[in-house]
Amino acid sequence: MAVPPGAYLVVGTLLFAIGLAGALLKRNALSIFLSIELMMNAVNLLFLTYARMRGDMAGQMIVFFVIAIAAAEASIGLAIFVALFRARRTVDVDKIALLKW
């Protein structure tokens, strides 16, 4: 029994909404970071679904590009969070206002 493409679209949309809510509502920088990763994976699922529906490879190529960007973002973001935690002893975004006077 094949899963209909509409089910993938619903799951991708729900994952993106959960990630967006987490990014907007959380105060912990790591939670925001994970929410952004969840949104990227939701977009990847939608790209793959549309690529499968259209029968071309363009969506899969975009997904590989997004995965590469997500890996780079994860490594740089985690390094920044570790440096911030060492300097400030917190990863709360309300307390990390580096540009405030």
Side-chain angles (χ1 to χ4, degrees):
M1 182 172 149
V3 177
Y8 290 112
L9 296 176
V10 169
V11 170
T13 304
L14 286 175
L15 287 176
F16 188 84
I18 291 169
L20 183 64
L24 293 176
L25 298 176
K26 294 288 184 174
R27 296 291 102 203
N28 188 338
L30 288 175
S31 296
I32 294 170
F33 192 69
L34 290 175
S35 297
I36 291 171
E37 293 288 330
L38 186 62
M39 287 192 290
M40 286 181 154
N41 285 326
V43 170
N44 282 342
L45 181 63
L46 294 176
F47 271 127
L48 287 176
T49 302
Y50 282 120
R52 183 176 173 207
M53 289 169 58
R54 293 180 52 155
D56 63 355
M57 298 290 289
Q60 294 177 4
M61 297 302 290
I62 293 172
V63 167
F64 283 127
F65 181 72
V66 170
I67 289 172
I69 296 296
E73 180 226 353
S75 62
I76 293 171
L78 288 176
I80 290 171
F81 292 147
V82 168
L84 279 173
F85 184 76
R86 286 183 179 172
R88 306 264 174 149
R89 293 289 175 204
T90 185
V91 288
D92 189 3
V93 292
D94 289 334
K95 295 177 182 171
I96 304 170
L98 298 176
L99 297 179
K100 271 188 178 175
W101 290 94

